[in-house]
Amino acid sequence: MPAEPARKHALWLMPGGKVREKLLALITGLSESYRTPPFEPHITLLGGLVSSEGVLAHGTKELAFSFGPLEVELDGMGYAEEYYRCLFAKVRETGQLMELNRRARDIFGRADDPPFMPHVSLMYSNMRASKKRRMIPPLEDEVRGMRFRAERLYLYLTEGEPPDWREAANYPFSAG
């Protein structure tokens, strides 16, 4: 049997219920207005994981089973001069969330990655900063204080561009 190919994946936390619906509506609305790609609302816990899906799924399962569900709160808006961080909702940096990222780095051998900045992207684009700054105030009112309970850890295949990304595996947070 041939070896499974190494492919690019990411670990995601995803909202459910009404928070997912609201964030997806924002992402879809921005996507339609600015002709940018739509995607599922998520927090990238760790991106750029390149290995076989089986190896990555095993590590994802190990991480999820060693951690309990976490409470996530959105806390304002931000933007960056990066395509995938064009416009985003900031996520409150709790000790639990930051520890989950640290453990993910340990499991996947990524201790030297740049510092973790938890966020939920709302738009992928190379738009000018001045335009992004004008978009923030109305969006900030919509996202500030949104909360959800992250109950599962998702492994997503992130090759190509959204909407081609797909879920490869997911596991419940089940420690404790």
Side-chain angles (χ1 to χ4, degrees):
M1 177 185 269
E4 209 180 342
R7 301 181 75 187
K8 186 177 172 190
H9 290 74
L11 296 179
W12 287 2
L13 301 174
M14 299 177 74
K18 292 189 184 303
V19 171
R20 179 192 174 276
E21 290 171 16
K22 288 178 183 178
L23 289 171
L24 188 58
L26 286 174
I27 291 165
T28 302
L30 290 168
S31 171
E32 290 169 355
S33 295
Y34 295 96
R35 296 187 183 131
T36 59
F39 52 90
E40 282 292 322
H42 65 277
I43 299 166
T44 300
L45 182 67
L46 196 62
L49 299 171
V50 179
S51 188
S52 71
E53 204 161 273
V55 167
L56 294 174
H58 177 77
T60 304
K61 184 176 183 179
E62 177 185 341
L63 179 59
F65 287 7
S66 72
F67 221 84
L70 4 81
E71 300 300 323
V72 175
E73 182 179 356
L74 304 187
D75 188 27
M77 290 289 301
Y79 70 91
E81 297 303 317
E82 298 173 41
Y83 180 80
Y84 291 112
R85 292 185 188 180
C86 172
L87 193 62
F88 56 84
K90 298 175 185 176
V91 173
R92 187 175 303 278
E93 293 182 15
T94 64
Q96 191 181 23
L97 179 59
M98 301 311 279
E99 177 61 15
L100 180 62
N101 173 261
R102 189 195 64 72
R103 286 192 195 172
R105 289 167 181 254
D106 288 347
I107 287 171
F108 291 102
R110 301 284 293 273
D112 295 332
D113 275 14
F116 179 47
M117 187 197 74
H119 66 280
V120 176
S121 289
L122 299 178
M123 186 168 65
Y124 297 156
S125 176
N126 289 316
M127 180 181 291
R128 288 190 328 264
S130 59
K131 194 169 192 175
K132 290 184 258 193
R133 281 193 296 271
R134 287 193 303 272
M135 295 169 69
I136 285 178
L139 292 170
E140 194 153 33
D141 292 341
E142 290 194 58
V143 302
R144 186 179 299 279
M146 274 190 191
R147 296 171 188 223
F148 68 93
R149 184 173 172 89
E151 307 235 357
R152 304 186 77 78
L153 181 60
Y154 294 83
L155 177 65
Y156 255 73
L157 177 66
T158 55
E159 291 184 341
E161 291 293 319
D164 296 334
W165 297 346
R166 69 164 178 80
E167 182 182 325
N170 76 77
Y171 301 97
F173 287 115
S174 56

